[in-house]
Amino acid sequence: MFLSARLPSLSLLFFLLLALLLCFSVVNSASNVTAKIGQGYRLISIEETPDGGLVGHLQVKKSNKIYGPDIPHLQLFVKHETQDRLRIHIADAERQRWEVPYNLLPREQPPASKQTIGRSRKNPITVSEYSGSAFTFSYTVDPFGFAVRRKSDGQVLFNSSSEQSDPFGEMVFKDQYLEISTRLPKDASLYGLGENTQPHGIKLYPNDPYTLYTTDVSAININTDLYGSHPVYMDLRNVGGKPYAHGVLLLNSNGMDVFYRGNSLTYKVIGGVFDFYFFAGPTPLGVVDQYTSLIGRPAPMPYWSFGFHQCRWGYHNLSVVEDVVENYKKAQIPLDVIWNDDDHMDGHKDFTLNAKNYPRPKLLAFLEKIHNIGMKYIVIIDPGIAVNSSYGVYQRGIANDVFIKYEGEPYLAQVWPGAVNFPDYLNPKTVSWWGDEIRRFHELVPVDGLWIDMNEASNFCSGKCKIPKGKQCPTGTGPGWICCLDCKNITKTKWDDPPYKINASGLQVPIGFKTIATSAVHYNGILEYDAHSLYGFSQAIATHKALQGLEGKRPFILSRSSYVGSGKYVAHWTGDNQGTWNDLKYSISTMLNFGIFGVPMVGSDICGFYPAPTEELCNRWIEVGAFYPFSRDHANYYSPRQELYQWESVAESARNALGMRYKLLPYLYTLNYEAHISGAPIARPLFFSFPTYTECYGLSTQFLLGSSVMVSPVLEQGKSQVKALFPPGSWHSLFDMTQIIVSKEGKYVTLYAPLHVVNVHLYQNTILPMQRGGLISKEARETPYTLVITFPAGASEGKASGNLYLDNDELPEMKLGNGYSSYIDFYATVSQGSVKVWSQVQEGKFALDNGWIIEKLTVLGLDGSGKASALEIDETPVNAVSNIQLSSTKQKHLEEVEDGGDKSSSVMVEIQGLSLKVGKNFVMSWKMGVKS
């Protein structure tokens, strides 16, 4: 929930006025970018470390006072940490500086700086190289600069040295201003640097602003620092027809501007250190694998979380919630999870129930009813704890000294309940207290997950505040986001008013604006100035620990704010969007970015959070949102109701699109497993599967689920067709498997897409496990399986493969070998007129115990027109009197993709009436009437 999302006209007026006030002080971004601040550093010594790294000593060449004095001596540490990861760490050589805490994000510690000063060799060679398996690191001495090359082909991936003609200068390292740049080839495609709403699509766009600082600014604001900070990018290049991807992370939690000019990239950071990690790829999937191996693998999500979710701010009482659940059932629209925003709370206070509108006995009876059929219930909690002497959560917080301090007292802010204090999740005592409060609340209400919102942290006020005397705050009338505390600005420290102004909120507002004052203090003297963007991340870790400790179950947590590593603990939604066609389009790019960030469980508010979608837009949005990894309809208090059953046309589109989602649940859940073990995004840009096909490098209007399911939605008003890009190969329609598209070299195809139709295609060489679907994932999960097997159109020779992961999804770990999971590889070949399909099962007991069977095979793309015959299962012929039926249907090719008029035929073969045990190896084969 966000103030601008409550009343757009007022907030827009506010920001316009603020922009006018700031216009005289804002430095022109172009001149800001090109200003050269210093002359850099000189490398005065370098040596090898006992563990095979390099450590060097840098001395500033000439100090100046722009943005404060330079730090005179720096330590350089370089290490090939793994075969495909290189670290370059540059910090103050004489005193400890702020870094992302090693207990929050575990990683190797660089050597202590005091061990190297004055002990190293005095005469390093002018240019030296340090090679690992994938990278070569080289440096120049005066001025110091470094380059990172790909060892296999010598490509320069990062080069910090500056030449006179460059629009950037040498490296700068001051207390509150760090700057470093790299040259880039013009044809490099960059992705990442978020969270922001990117109007130009997923590719970074030259001269767009990229500011990283967690901020409660609604996602409708384009090119603005939003709720998360992810200072990582992926660089994809096509060199001589070969694709190469690599990743670059600057692990730094301070506010920063990143200037991308197309042929260079400049970081301007207001604190911390340079802690670069380079990931070798060379595939996009490889980059994310290597990145998440450092920052933490994505959290395993429970099976039910891949069902459909319904939420609204404004379900005033329990009977409304009960009606929503009942109306979904009546409309035959799938629903797994019902949510409450803060309507269930007593006066917006965390961990409370409104006794009148959500009486506990009735709520418990409702939860027992929905739990019995497999549905789940999730509620919101905000970090701000109401300052209220009769409120037990607050009393225990004060007693345990868990709050962030300002001048020795708990920092006072205002959010929905009025005056609040913010828990300090960097404090171990706070983590214990938070866990205890969650335990107490779970005993009151057995919720199935938690939604942590407003955790940037959001504050309706700015500066130092106190509770006003003689007036009620908040008043209880009018908007709840108007600051009613008595506040004054804080500008007396360099932390509140740093010399360099990042482009905060897209308007260069003070960095303490509408958040915690940056001179406030956390545990162990840590400044909010440094730790600000870690707030939501630290809360996520504490919440995850608390939920997992309750019953030993796999937690589900949805967080608005995020940082590097958040995906290890939480899912994410993209915040307060609008019900507009642009917002629908933007949601795809943001979702795809978070997959790269290692947060694969992501989605946007379907139909928009506010103010009100049109009926047509809501139709189209559920057709996209049904294929978000996290699929939830959520609306604002002030918006009209927009549950999917409110319009019959939307209900029809929902039954269609969500009907397919629920059939695909085993595939989505298997992707969840792949994400957990390798970081692989669930929703991916097309270039992940087709990195050689440069046409898809900037494609932001279609996406893949896994490697081979492609969604091509309608994103424009009034359209009944969609122009979709089909990379080279054969694509089979999932909604009508008789339809096939053959794209020999890759091309755009105009697809038929009336109001209730969304185009979803399955790529060749795939085996896709599907089930019958249902209205609740628990029901859908118990139905028999179909294997959809795809070959290239008219294939007389071909291979296909796929897999399936099954487990007890309440267990906190997602792994094989515990007796509560099974993994099945499926394979198929066609060769010389014979088709063979078989499985290889690992840990089959779990699947056998659950009795899952495969009832049907659908094989697409086979060559010929003859019937299938001579069916064998486990080398035993199937006789004519069995219940097994074989049928063949000619597939329809779309004429416009038949390059050169080639009319090759392909058929679909269906084998029904099977009863193959999922948990046991099987082999099937048959003959086709094909041209051999």
Side-chain angles (χ1 to χ4, degrees), residues 98-101 104 213-214 229 252-255 270-272 404 424-427 455-457 495 511 515-523 525-539 561-563:
W98 165 256
E99 298 187 45
V100 175
L104 278 192
Y213 191 72
T214 60
S229 174
N252 182 303
S253 64
N254 290 83
I270 61 171
I404 292 170
D424 174 12
Y425 299 102
L426 299 180
N427 186 340
N455 53 349
E456 291 72 33
W495 314 117
I511 57 172
T515 188
I516 300 167
T518 44
S519 53
V521 179
H522 292 253
Y523 176 71
I526 293 169
L527 285 168
E528 170 69 11
Y529 179 88
D530 293 315
H532 171 82
S533 289
L534 299 175
Y535 192 78
F537 178 45
S538 61
Q539 186 195 18
S561 188
S562 61
Y563 185 70

Side-chain angles (χ1 to χ4, degrees), residues 64 104 129 210 278 331 545 557 576 617 624 628 644 909:
N64 64 51
L104 278 192
E129 292 192 345
Y210 295 95
F278 296 87
K545 181 180 180 182
I557 305 161
D576 296 348
L617 175 60
V624 180
Y628 293 153
L644 301 178
V909 170

